């Protein structure tokens, strides 16, 4: 080993019961040398079932992230992440429900049954007027020492705030209700369009080419679908897409252009992009002008902004790209949107956006008041962590930005990609920083390491090094 560490950062294989939730967790890292254990752990997991894999290829490596299933129904808060190279499995992390007897499958989980229809009725009754149901799906959840059948219901509160409710599939009592997501073969066509290539702050209106378009009643490609909540979508025929910026069709074209570019950037600089199709809706909350933008499960929704606190949200490349980074990060890590994992998620979205736009400033176009914008400068310190989602994300993102200044973007992105490969939904600030520091040290020569230590010291990051 070329780097110096006093103690292994992750102690190979470990199990812990997370008390009330009864989930079993373990992580085997490449930083310990317990290869024999890894095979054994892998064997122990054999009796359990997992979802079909979301595999991401990173050079010669493959990374898969799945969740546990029982009768093909997902078990909430579980995961298994495996990274393989041609030498075999070298990273394994999991959190599962280790059952002895299979739980009973309620009849209401079968579509076309009377009890399924009755469940739907109960779910509708739980939804107050003004809230909009998006989807519902059966799941299992560790609850009070056993596995409870539940319904996972995604809905828009008051039509605009994305939330997720989990209700018991038998008693229909609400077990949790939380905000979700992050606020803020046809022939393919190329069409001329008018957009602001770098956003309206940094560029004027120009003619560009939109590629890979599919003909149809709205803008779409194999990676993107753009709709407006106003119902006025942009049909794709053989006509150029030249609209006035005041036209409500303009933002849809601008969003497509921004995300088409972002998608190529992700592929070139990270080595992977979001899974499948990203669905984008502009004019969220129409006819009102809503101050909100969020990502959840391959969907981005963008309000227009009230013109006071926010304006022209879809024209702001930093907001649109930020939301799409969530889709990219989600695919590889499954990081949550709340808590410490949520702050890490936000930090990644801001940092990767900042790299792409080559500016530490977020929200330049959409947020008129400078004091309301986020900036990845100056460097925040570890002691600034206070539990605030965006405050804490800035501690991480400003550190990465500062490191980009000293080590260069390519190095930092390379370390970050390798770290994300080993990041799971269960990571917190401590474990994430340990993984990042470790991975980065492996990538650097001695001169670069000295610079890295300097930044770590400036930011007061805890290191056992
Ligand atoms: Zn976000």
């Amino acid at each position: 080993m070329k780097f110096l560490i006093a103690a292994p950062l992750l102690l190979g294989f470990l199990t812990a019961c997370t008390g009330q939730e009864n989930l079993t967790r373990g992580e085997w890292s490449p930083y310990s040398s317990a290869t024999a254990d890894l095979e054994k752990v892998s064997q122990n997991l054999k009796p359990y079932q997992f979802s079909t894999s979301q595999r991401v290829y990173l050079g010669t490596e493959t990374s898969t992230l799945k969740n546990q299933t029982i009768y093909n129904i997902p078990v909430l808060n579980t995961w298994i992440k495996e990274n393989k190279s041609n030498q075999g499995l070298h990273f394994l992390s999991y959190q599962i429900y280790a059952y002895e007897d299979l739980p009973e499958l309620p009849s209401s989980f079968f579509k076309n049954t009377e009890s399924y229809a009755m469940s739907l009725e109960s779910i509708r009754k739980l939804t107050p007027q003004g809230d909009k149901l998006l989807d519902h799906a059966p799941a299992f959840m560790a609850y009070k020492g056993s596995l409870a059948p539940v319904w996972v219901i995604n809905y828009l509160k008051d039509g605009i705030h994305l939330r997720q409710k989990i209700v018991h599939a038998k008693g229909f009592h609400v077990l949790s209700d939380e905000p979700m997501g992050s606020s803020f073969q046809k022939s393919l066509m190329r069409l001329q369009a008018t957009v602001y290539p770098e956003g309206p702050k940094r560029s004027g209106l120009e003619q560009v080419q939109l590629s890979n378009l599919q003909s149809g009643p709205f803008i779409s490609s194999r990676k993107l679908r753009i709709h407006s909540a106003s119902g006025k979508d942009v049909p794709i025929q053989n006509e150029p897409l030249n609209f006035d910026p005041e036209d409500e069709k303009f933002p849809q074209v601008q969003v497509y252009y921004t995300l088409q570019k972002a998608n190529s950037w992700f592929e070139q600089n990270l080595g992977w992009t979001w899974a499948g199709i990203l669905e984008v809706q502009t004019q969220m909350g129409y006819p009102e002008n809503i101050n909100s933008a969020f990502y959840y499960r391959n969907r981005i929704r963008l309000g227009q902004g009230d013109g006071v606190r926010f304006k022209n949200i879809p024209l702001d490349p930093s907001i649109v790209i930020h939301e799409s980074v969530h889709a990219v990060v989600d695919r590889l890590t499954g990081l949550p949107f709340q808590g410490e994992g949520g702050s890490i998620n936000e930090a990644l979205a801001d940092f990767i956006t900042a790299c792409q736009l080559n500016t530490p400033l977020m929200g330049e176009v959409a947020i008129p008041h400078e004091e309301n914008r986020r900036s990845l400068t100056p460097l925040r310190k570890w002691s600034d962590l206070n539990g605030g989602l965006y405050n804490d994300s800035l501690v991480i993102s400003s550190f990465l930005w500062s490191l980009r200044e000293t080590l260069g973007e390519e190095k930092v992105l390379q370390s970050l990609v390798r770290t994300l490969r080993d990041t799971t939904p269960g990571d917190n600030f401590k474990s994430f920083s340990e993984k990042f520091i470790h991975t980065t040290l492996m990538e650097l020569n001695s001169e670069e390491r000295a610079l890295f230590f300097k930044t770590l010291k400036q930011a007061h990051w805890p290191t056992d090094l």
Side-chain angles (χ1 to χ4, degrees):
M1 283 203 278
K2 287 195 219 102
F3 47 86
L4 295 164
I5 350 160
L9 292 173
L10 293 158
L11 300 170
F13 169 62
L14 54 105
T15 7
C17 266
T18 51
Q20 48 175 15
E21 286 177 330
N22 276 11
L23 294 170
T24 306
R25 182 164 171 179
E27 183 159 304
W28 186 93
S29 83
Y31 320 121
S32 72
S33 52
T35 316
D37 279 349
L38 179 61
E39 294 304 328
K40 220 160 72 191
V41 178
S42 198
Q43 280 301 321
N44 289 343
L45 293 172
K46 278 267 151 67
Y48 302 101
Q49 284 96 53
F50 298 94
S51 59
T52 41
S53 67
Q54 278 265 34
R55 185 169 291 138
V56 176
Y57 293 90
L58 298 164
T60 58
E61 307 261 336
T62 59
S63 184
T64 58
L65 179 61
K66 306 181 225 181
N67 62 267
Q68 188 182 6
T69 58
I70 294 176
Y71 313 110
N72 287 325
I73 289 173
V75 182
L76 301 183
N77 306 315
T78 62
W79 74 80
I80 178 167
K81 184 164 194 176
E82 295 171 296
N83 296 338
K84 281 181 189 156
S85 67
N86 28 26
Q87 268 107 54
L89 191 61
H90 60 80
F91 178 87
L92 178 73
S93 175
Y94 66 88
Q95 177 159 291
I96 61 158
Y97 185 84
Y99 54 81
E100 269 161 30
D101 301 308
L102 274 171
E104 200 190 324
L105 190 61
S107 59
S108 63
F109 279 6
F110 294 98
K111 277 188 185 172
N112 308 320
T113 60
E114 202 178 317
S115 51
Y116 179 82
M118 277 161 66
S119 295
L120 260 183
E121 196 47 44
S122 305
I123 290 169
R124 287 212 185 90
K125 276 189 198 142
L126 277 172
T127 311
Q129 274 203 337
D131 291 357
K132 187 171 176 283
L133 277 180
L134 291 174
D135 51 47
H136 63 282
F140 286 106
M141 187 171 103
Y143 177 66
K144 291 193 172 166
S146 70
L147 211 54
V150 297
W151 289 100
V152 179
I153 302 160
N154 290 307
Y155 70 104
L156 288 172
K157 186 159 181 60
D158 306 321
I160 50 170
H161 304 292
L162 182 64
R163 295 183 68 89
Q164 185 173 79
K165 218 180 313 203
I166 295 173
V167 302
H168 202 287
K170 286 190 176 139
F172 287 94
H173 39 291
V174 178
L175 303 179
S176 73
D177 184 0
E178 287 182 338
M180 284 310 296
S182 144
S183 342
F184 227 68
Q185 210 41 62
K186 286 178 187 168
S187 67
L188 301 175
M189 278 198 277
R190 284 160 76 90
L191 289 181
Q192 287 276 343
T194 304
V195 300
Y196 296 107
E198 313 291 330
K201 195 100 181 175
R202 290 171 185 252
S203 58
L205 285 173
E206 280 177 40
Q207 287 270 313
V208 295
Q209 286 269 356
L210 299 188
S211 49
N212 301 320
L213 287 164
Q214 297 172 158
S215 60
F218 54 88
I219 306 181
S220 71
S221 71
R222 261 177 284 184
K223 294 306 287 178
L224 282 165
R225 267 184 216 147
I226 319 275
H227 285 287
S228 168
S230 71
K232 290 191 185 119
D233 293 337
V234 179
I236 299 298
Q237 292 136 3
N238 254 326
E239 308 283 321
L241 304 172
N242 297 323
F243 301 104
D244 187 90
E246 297 303 314
D247 190 319
E248 61 183 286
K249 289 182 175 164
F250 182 85
Q252 298 173 59
V253 179
Q254 177 74 38
V255 165
Y256 183 85
Y257 178 77
T258 303
L259 290 177
Q260 168 188 295
K261 219 161 74 171
N263 182 48
S264 324
W265 191 95
F266 295 137
E267 279 180 345
Q268 273 167 27
N269 294 277
L270 305 179
W272 86 101
T273 185
W274 62 76
I277 294 169
L278 191 57
E279 304 255 4
V280 186
Q281 187 193 70
T282 59
Q283 296 271 350
M284 173 177 55
Y286 181 86
E288 275 166 65
N289 292 322
I290 301 295
N291 286 332
S292 179
F294 61 73
Y295 163 82
Y296 180 63
R297 233 195 245 171
N298 270 27
R299 289 189 186 126
I300 290 176
R301 286 179 187 241
L302 304 165
Q304 184 59 27
D306 63 6
V308 183
R309 284 187 52 223
F310 288 87
K311 62 176 171 89
N312 294 329
I313 291 172
L315 306 195
D316 192 320
S318 68
I319 295 184
V320 175
I321 297 171
H322 171 107
E323 299 306 340
S324 73
V325 179
H326 282 307
V328 177
V329 168
D330 202 13
R331 182 179 182 190
L332 191 59
T333 68
L335 275 169
F337 291 95
Q338 303 294 319
E340 295 192 8
S343 288
I344 297 168
N345 203 343
E346 292 306 333
L348 294 165
D350 276 352
F351 175 68
I352 293 171
T353 301
C355 286
Q356 205 169 131
L357 295 175
N358 200 22
T359 171
L361 286 175
M362 299 290 120
E364 263 190 319
V365 172
I367 306 175
H369 300 289
E370 216 172 305
E371 65 274 17
N372 295 335
R373 296 177 193 153
R374 281 200 298 278
S375 173
L376 276 51
T377 56
L379 176 63
R380 273 69 154 187
K381 298 199 166 65
W382 190 267
S383 53
D384 293 330
L385 291 171
N386 68 9
L389 186 69
Y390 291 101
N391 172 82
D392 290 0
S393 86
L394 281 168
V395 172
I396 313 278
S397 59
S398 69
F399 170 78
L400 293 171
W401 187 255
S402 170
L403 207 55
R404 177 184 179 270
E405 314 259 272
T406 48
L407 294 178
E409 182 174 296
E410 211 186 317
K411 273 264 142 68
V412 180
L413 282 178
Q414 200 180 341
S415 298
L416 201 56
V417 168
R418 296 190 83 90
T419 306
L420 292 182
R421 206 186 53 196
D422 296 351
T423 299
T424 74
D427 272 308
N428 56 25
F429 295 140
K430 188 169 176 292
S431 63
F432 181 79
S433 66
E434 283 169 353
K435 286 176 185 181
F436 181 75
I437 292 169
H438 229 284
T439 314
T440 308
L441 285 175
M442 287 194 279
E443 309 263 322
L444 303 181
N445 62 35
S446 57
E447 211 174 298
E448 293 164 333
R449 262 182 239 163
L451 290 168
F452 182 47
F453 281 120
K454 209 171 137 194
T455 310
L456 283 169
K457 217 171 152 189
Q458 276 168 349
H460 295 188
W461 274 39
T463 54
D464 303 324
L465 306 156

